[in-house]
Amino acid sequence: MASIARPVLLRQAAAVSRLSAAPAGPSVLLKNTARVAAFHATSRRNLLPPLPQKVEGSVNDPVRVPPPNPAHGSYHWTFERLVGASLVPLTLTPFAAGSLNPGMDAVLMGLIVIHSHLGFQNIIIDYLPKRRTPKSRKAAMWGLNLATALVALGLYEFETTDVGVTEAIKRIWHA
Amino acid sequence: MIAQRLGTTALRRVTAAPQNAFFTQNLARLALTSNLSTTQSRAVATQKLTAEDARALLDAQRLKRPVAPHLEIYDKKQTFFTGSIWQRFTGAGFTGLLYGYSIAYLAAPLIGWHLESASLVAAFAGLPVAVKAGAKFLVAWPFVFHLFNGVRHAAYDMAWGFNKRVIVRSGWYLWGASIVASLGLLLL
């Protein structure tokens, strides 16, 4: 009996002494923290703190469902999968054929740019939620658009003035 | 003397005597008798709140919600060796490489860098064999892994092999196959 009761007694005594030590402020919240703290057994983790949050409406409001739009939903998903799947034979061909002709190389790099752009969009959407970091989200998306445009231009230059990406990788690999 | 009386006198004696904190047995009694009365009391009491106060309190609590599910709760094996996060890591790595190189290639004439394939080949040929092999493996492994795992995820999208046993087993095959295949690519 005593061994079971002891920790409880100690905790109660500690809670009461903490309570009496705290100045009697007007805040109900502050006074309760001391009381509630006595019941907390887990430590606080400050690793990866949550992104800024704000409360909209009450907990009893229904979830707002955005109007369904296949361009952002199923079409987008299917398009993403088709691009990914068509990259498989295109990446395997140079291993069988030795290299790619300029036309096929341009197609391959075009698809890779689209694939990369969609992949980075997914990363931004996952880690910069619109609800929590609307400004960073917008900045990252526009930054990505700008970078992708520059990359497309750079690759066009590389494809037209240099030997093409597949051939370049092959030459570096055998260097 | 009745039994209840006897208990109270014992308690008083403990309080009056010079106390020794090493006796944990006395510690509870000490805490009990020094600050509290012997009658029971609740440390937590309920309070009446207005609807607005309750709402404000709830909002304040909702704003302090932690990240859930937090990284710490995941099974370490599942966090580190499943394909899905490595698909993102390898893909993001290649995208970074492609974007970095393409933009640098576009800017090269303005800055005066030489990033044409001929100068890259010449620079790479000059490296020691071990460095060349290491660099090739660092490119080959993510490439093979992303390719194999991409096919695996395409299969999942068609609901093929999407059960836990197959996912776990194919995950280990994936690691083995990608390492073997990328070592094979070094010999090309």
Side-chain angles (χ1 to χ4, degrees):
Chain A
M1 171 60 207
S3 60
I4 298 169
R6 210 176 293 143
V8 180
L9 278 174
L10 277 175
R11 205 184 292 167
Q12 273 187 359
V16 166
S17 63
R18 220 174 301 164
L19 241 185
S20 54
S27 163
V28 182
L29 251 176
L30 202 76
K31 256 203 284 183
N32 277 342
T33 333
R35 290 174 175 177
V36 172
F39 292 94
H40 276 241
T42 46
S43 60
R44 248 180 92 100
R45 291 197 187 102
N46 283 323
L47 177 78
L48 277 180
L51 294 168
Q53 313 184 65
K54 63 174 188 292
V55 173
E56 278 168 14
S58 76
V59 281
N60 291 325
D61 291 343
V63 176
R64 231 179 285 152
V65 181
N69 183 350
H72 294 161
S74 59
Y75 293 171
H76 181 270
W77 194 88
T78 311
F79 174 68
E80 206 174 1
R81 295 307 180 280
L82 282 178
V83 171
S86 57
L87 275 171
V88 175
L90 269 176
T91 40
L92 291 178
T93 312
F95 289 104
S99 190
L100 283 181
N101 64 39
M104 289 305 281
D105 200 74
V107 171
L108 171 67
M109 290 322 291
L111 283 174
I112 284 182
V113 168
I114 294 170
H115 188 68
S116 301
H117 185 80
L118 292 175
F120 255 40
Q121 274 184 339
N122 282 343
I123 292 175
I124 292 170
I125 288 168
D126 281 357
Y127 302 130
L128 294 173
K130 207 187 258 177
R131 217 159 32 89
R132 296 195 171 190
T133 51
K135 285 176 198 157
S136 312
R137 166 73 166 272
K138 206 169 213 175
M141 278 298 194
W142 280 107
L144 177 67
N145 290 346
L146 178 69
T148 305
L150 287 176
V151 166
L153 192 59
L155 276 176
Y156 175 78
E157 284 293 316
F158 192 85
E159 294 284 333
T160 47
T161 57
D162 215 307
V163 290
V165 175
T166 323
E167 183 63 28
I169 289 172
K170 186 189 164 191
R171 287 187 190 178
I172 292 171
W173 205 261
H174 293 307
Chain B
M1 210 182 263
I2 46 172
Q4 204 184 357
R5 256 310 260 282
L6 208 131
T8 349
T9 22
L11 212 61
R12 275 195 199 125
R13 208 170 295 151
V14 169
T15 332
Q19 283 146 6
N20 190 345
F22 287 108
F23 288 103
T24 45
Q25 212 178 1
N26 286 346
L27 210 64
R29 277 183 211 149
L30 193 151
L32 197 71
T33 47
S34 57
N35 263 345
L36 296 164
S37 68
T38 43
T39 51
Q40 272 197 331
S41 73
R42 283 177 161 274
V44 176
T46 51
Q47 280 148 343
K48 290 248 186 257
L49 283 178
T50 61
E52 291 77 42
D53 280 352
R55 173 74 185 281
L57 188 61
L58 182 61
D59 283 353
Q61 287 172 348
R62 287 175 77 197
L63 286 176
K64 282 182 190 157
R65 280 181 299 196
V67 173
H70 204 277
L71 282 178
E72 288 287 310
I73 70 156
Y74 290 111
D75 177 6
K76 292 285 186 295
K77 205 172 89 182
Q78 292 201 15
T79 314
F80 290 119
F81 298 115
T82 44
S84 78
I85 194 60
W86 283 96
Q87 187 75 354
R88 179 161 280 187
F89 287 158
T90 51
F94 274 119
T95 302
L97 199 66
L98 175 74
Y99 274 44
Y101 177 74
S102 306
I103 292 173
Y105 184 80
L106 199 64
L110 304 173
I111 313 171
W113 288 347
H114 282 282
L115 294 172
E116 310 86 39
S117 61
S119 39
L120 286 186
V121 169
F124 194 69
L127 295 173
V129 180
V131 177
K132 277 204 272 193
K136 280 183 188 179
F137 184 76
L138 280 183
V139 175
W141 178 76
F143 170 74
V144 175
F145 189 92
H146 196 88
L147 179 67
F148 288 1
N149 200 28
V151 173
R152 194 169 72 126
H153 273 274
Y156 291 164
D157 289 340
M158 292 185 288
W160 187 82
F162 200 69
N163 65 70
K164 196 168 181 181
R165 205 171 53 85
V166 178
I167 289 172
V168 169
R169 191 187 289 171
S170 64
W172 288 112
Y173 287 154
L174 177 70
W175 279 87
S178 65
I179 288 169
V180 170
S182 51
L183 287 174
L185 280 185
L186 296 192
L187 303 174
L188 273 184

